[in-house]
Amino acid sequence: MRLHLSILLTILGCCHVANGLRILAIFPLNGRSHWITGQALTMGLARRGHQVDVVSHFPQKKPVPNYRDISLDGTLEPVINSMNASMVRNVGGQDFELFVRTLGTKICALLEHEKIQQLIHNPPKDPPYDLVIVELFMFPCFLGFGRHLNVPMVGVMASTFHDWVSDVTGNMFNPSFMPCLFSPYRPEMTFYERLMNTVLTNLVGMQLKYYMRMEDEYVKKHFNIDESVMELHKDLAVILVNSHHSLNGVKPMTNGVIEIGGLHITEQGDPLSPEIQKWLDESTHGCVYFTLGSMVRIETYPESVQRAFLNAFESIAPVRVLMKVAHKEDLIPKVPKNVMVQSWFPQVSVFKHKNIKAFVTHGGTMSIQEAVYFGIPMVGIPLFGDQPTNMNNVAHLNIAVSLGSLKNVTEETLSYSLNKVLTDKTYQENMKRISKLFKDRPMTAMDTAVYWVEYAARNGNALRSPAIRLRWWQQQLFDVYGFILACLALALYVVIFVLRKLTCLLFGSKACSKKPSHSSESKKRK
C-alpha cells in the first residue's frame, strides 16, 4: 500500500512539474538584503513545481530541484560587511547621481556579461520562458527582457513602493499622507511635513529619473529597444512589494500592486551554535540582540562611539547582549562580561529564543519584519535610505524607540532607550498586537506571491492600470482643472460684459461713457 501511495505521489509531482512555468528571474544587485526577498520568492516557486532560472550573485551551495543558478558571483566587489563609518556618511548625504551610478548604471553594465548575453541572444526554446521576474530598483534597464522575450513580466520591490515610478506604473502617489521612500516622516504629517514631503518627493523623483536616463543606451544596445527605461515600467503585469499595512500604513494601490511583506520569514532558522545556545539559555534576566545589518561594520566607527555602545550594554546588566561585529579583532578592548561578540548570528533562531527581550537595529526592512513577526520590541539607529522612515513608522506604533541617527547615540541615550523597551510593558503589549496584525492574512505572503506570479503568467497585463496611458499632468488632472478655470474665467467675463451692456441700456449713454482722463480735465480748466 505504501509503495502504491509513493508511486502515486511521484506521478502527481511529475505532472505538476510538467505543467509548471519556465521562469527567468533576474536579481542583479549584489546586496544580500535585497537578495533575501528574491531568494525566498524563487525558492518558493521552485518548490511549487516551476522551473526557475535565477540570475544573481548568490548561487545555491547545494543543488535545488527545479532551480538553476545563472551566477554573477565575483563580477562585482562584495558588499557584505563592506561599509565603514565614512561610507555610511557619504550614502546618508543622498548624492543621487552617485547613488544611481553605483546601484544603477554599474549594475546595467552586467548586461555585457557572457551569461546574460547568452540569455539575450540564445534564450532556451524547449521550453521557452513563460514569464520574467525582475527586481525593481535603480536598474530598470533589465526590464528590457520582458519585451525582448515577449512574455509577461513581474516586478519585485525589496522595500516599500518606489514613489518615483508611480506615474509610469499607474499607482498614484499622494504625498499628503504617503511619505516618500527617502522621507523621515510618518503618514500623519503636519502642514510643514506635508510641504517638505511634497518637495522631497518631487525633487528625488526628478533627480532619479534624470540620472537613470543614462541607462537608455544599454536598452538600445542590448535589446534594440528605442525607449526610455522609465517607460519600460509600463510593461509590468504585476508588482510585488515588500511591505504590509500593519507597519507601513494604509495606502491606495492598484490591483496589480501586491503587498508581500514578510515573504522571507520562516520558522526554521539556522541552528544556534552550542556556545550561543548556552548563552541564551542562561540569560535568565533577558538578552538584547544588536546588529547594524549585513553591510555596516560598527568596529570602524570612532572609539567614542564604540565605547558608548559597550558602556550602555554594560549598564543594563544582568541583562545580556549578543553583539554582531564583523571583525571582532577590530573592536575596542574591554568588552563587558554581559556582552557576547560574534561575527554572525542566525537571526531567526535568535529571535525565536524565549529570553530575547529587545532588538537594537539599523531599521532595515527585513530585520523589522522579523522582529515584528517574533514579537521583539526595538531600539532603532537608522543610518541611510529608507531606514529613518522605517523606524519612524514603528516608533509611531509604540513598538520601538528611535534615536533618529547614530549622531544621537550616547551612553545615556542608548541606556535610557534600552531600559524603556525592556521595562515598559506598553512596548511588549503593542508589539503583540502589531505582530498579530502582521500575521493576520487570508493567505501567507508566499502563497500570495506565488498566486500572483502564476496569475500574471495566465492573464498577462489584465491588471495593468489605464493611468499609464496618461501623461503626469493628465493623471493629476491639470488639463481638466485648467479647462474648468478657463471656462469659469470666460463665464465671469461674459457676465460682466452683459451687465455693462444692460447698464448702458437702462441708464443711458451717460452711464456707459468713460470718465474723462486727467489730461482732458486739465485742458477744460484752461
Side-chain angles (χ1 to χ4, degrees):
M1 183 65 182
R2 288 184 178 178
L3 178 61
H4 290 285
L5 182 60
S6 300
I7 294 172
L8 178 61
L9 290 174
T10 302
I11 292 172
L12 289 174
C14 291
C15 291
H16 186 60
V17 172
N19 294 325
L21 302 169
R22 182 154 197 188
I23 300 171
L24 174 62
I26 305 172
F27 291 84
L29 191 64
N30 58 331
R32 183 171 290 279
S33 59
H34 282 248
W35 167 239
I36 289 172
T37 299
Q39 182 180 33
L41 177 61
T42 52
M43 295 287 278
L45 289 166
R47 284 194 298 269
R48 304 296 175 94
H50 301 298
Q51 174 61 47
V52 190
D53 297 347
V54 184
V55 177
S56 80
H57 298 265
F58 304 92
Q60 300 302 310
K61 295 178 181 178
K62 296 180 181 179
V64 176
N66 303 326
Y67 186 107
R68 182 171 76 96
D69 276 307
I70 302 174
S71 177
L72 301 176
D73 187 26
T75 57
L76 296 175
E77 296 178 3
V79 296
I80 297 175
N81 295 324
S82 63
M83 294 189 72
N84 56 35
S86 61
M87 294 171 69
V88 172
R89 284 193 296 271
N90 291 336
V91 173
Q94 294 187 350
D95 181 342
F96 288 106
E97 181 178 10
L98 177 64
F99 193 66
V100 173
R101 287 186 183 278
T102 305
L103 300 176
T105 314
K106 190 175 181 179
I107 305 300
C108 287
L110 292 172
L111 287 167
E112 305 277 358
H113 194 280
E114 58 180 350
K115 292 181 180 179
I116 298 183
Q117 285 291 303
Q118 179 72 16
L119 289 172
I120 294 173
H121 298 292
N122 296 296
K125 295 181 175 60
D126 187 25
Y129 288 120
D130 300 296
L131 183 85
V132 173
I133 297 175
V134 181
E135 181 184 1
L136 303 179
F137 196 45
M138 295 291 121
F139 36 84
C141 51
F142 284 89
L143 292 173
F145 267 102
R147 195 174 298 187
H148 178 70
L149 298 174
N150 194 29
V151 294
M153 187 163 50
V154 173
V156 179
M157 294 181 179
S159 63
T160 58
F161 190 83
H162 303 163
D163 44 275
W164 57 88
V165 299
S166 58
D167 55 339
V168 288
T169 58
N171 194 63
M172 304 308 295
F173 187 87
N174 190 331
S176 67
F177 66 96
M178 298 167 67
C180 82
L181 192 67
F182 296 96
S183 167
Y185 306 121
R186 60 177 188 264
E188 296 81 5
M189 290 179 267
T190 64
F191 170 78
Y192 175 77
E193 289 171 340
R194 283 187 285 117
L195 174 63
M196 296 308 297
N197 187 56
T198 302
V199 172
L200 189 61
T201 298
N202 287 279
L203 188 61
V204 170
M206 287 188 293
Q207 289 188 76
L208 291 178
K209 290 176 182 179
Y210 176 79
Y211 293 124
M212 278 193 277
R213 290 193 305 178
M214 296 183 289
E215 300 177 17
D216 292 353
E217 60 184 86
Y218 291 96
V219 174
K220 176 66 174 176
K221 177 180 179 181
H222 296 291
F223 299 108
N224 196 28
I225 298 174
D226 194 12
E227 186 90 80
S228 74
V229 290
M230 294 305 297
E231 290 294 308
L232 292 178
H233 287 86
K234 295 180 178 180
D235 293 346
L236 291 164
V238 167
I239 300 175
L240 305 178
V241 184
N242 188 28
S243 63
H244 190 260
H245 61 268
S246 63
L247 298 178
N248 305 106
V250 176
K251 301 173 183 177
M253 292 183 179
T254 65
N255 295 20
V257 178
I258 313 298
E259 288 194 308
I260 56 165
L263 177 75
H264 70 290
I265 300 175
T266 173
E267 293 280 352
Q268 290 77 38
D270 294 331
L272 296 170
S273 68
E275 182 185 11
I276 300 173
Q277 184 73 56
K278 183 174 184 294
W279 178 272
L280 285 172
D281 290 343
E282 294 176 353
S283 299
T284 54
H285 293 88
C287 188
V288 173
Y289 175 49
F290 166 84
T291 177
L292 294 182
S294 63
M295 297 172 62
V296 179
R297 289 181 287 141
I298 185 62
E299 65 274 24
T300 64
Y301 279 85
E303 181 177 344
S304 59
V305 175
Q306 296 183 49
R307 183 54 60 192
F309 277 100
L310 293 177
N311 288 347
F313 293 154
E314 186 176 26
S315 72
I316 62 173
V319 175
R320 290 179 163 185
V321 178
L322 294 177
M323 185 176 185
K324 185 258 182 184
V325 179
H327 302 293
K328 296 189 290 184
E329 63 277 7
D330 294 336
L331 191 67
I332 61 174
K334 298 181 180 180
V335 175
K337 293 181 180 180
N338 68 322
V339 177
M340 173 186 279
V341 176
Q342 296 283 355
S343 59
W344 179 81
F345 292 97
Q347 188 157 295
V348 167
S349 297
V350 167
F351 282 149
K352 287 176 63 178
H353 198 282
K354 63 180 181 179
N355 288 335
I356 290 293
K357 303 300 180 184
F359 176 36
V360 181
T361 175
H362 62 309
T365 299
M366 308 299 178
S367 291
I368 287 179
Q369 290 175 353
E370 290 173 10
V372 170
Y373 186 89
F374 291 104
I376 313 296
M378 293 167 279
V379 173
I381 308 169
L383 303 174
F384 53 80
D386 61 347
Q387 295 164 16
T389 304
N390 293 342
M391 285 313 309
N392 269 353
N393 285 338
V394 291
H396 179 61
L397 296 171
N398 284 326
I399 59 176
V401 173
S402 177
L403 290 173
S405 75
L406 200 60
K407 296 177 183 178
N408 300 325
V409 174
T410 63
E411 178 184 345
E412 291 74 22
T413 57
L414 186 54
S415 298
Y416 173 80
S417 301
L418 284 168
N419 280 302
K420 194 170 183 180
V421 298
L422 288 169
T423 60
D424 189 341
K425 297 299 182 183
T426 303
Y427 290 92
Q428 287 86 357
E429 292 169 1
N430 287 334
M431 181 57 88
K432 288 179 182 177
R433 179 176 57 84
I434 298 300
S435 182
K436 183 179 178 181
L437 281 174
F438 186 72
K439 296 176 183 178
D440 191 357
R441 315 181 190 197
M443 293 193 295
T444 65
M446 181 59 71
D447 288 340
T448 301
V450 171
Y451 174 83
W452 289 108
V453 168
E454 293 172 344
Y455 181 95
R458 291 193 303 268
N459 301 299
N461 295 325
L463 298 177
R464 192 161 57 182
S465 170
I468 64 172
R469 293 190 287 271
L470 302 174
R471 297 186 181 275
W472 68 268
W473 46 270
Q474 292 173 317
Q475 290 182 11
Q476 300 295 332
L477 293 176
F478 285 171
D479 53 343
V480 173
Y481 292 136
F483 177 76
I484 291 173
L485 287 174
C487 289
L488 290 174
L490 179 62
L492 182 62
Y493 173 80
V494 169
V495 168
I496 294 173
F497 179 80
V498 170
L499 288 175
R500 279 187 172 180
K501 291 298 182 183
L502 287 173
T503 302
C504 292
L505 290 173
L506 294 172
F507 300 102
S509 58
K510 290 183 178 181
C512 299
S513 62
K514 295 183 179 180
K515 293 182 179 181
S517 62
H518 178 74
S519 58
S520 60
E521 288 181 357
S522 60
K523 287 180 180 179
K524 288 179 181 180
R525 288 173 184 172
K526 290 179 180 178

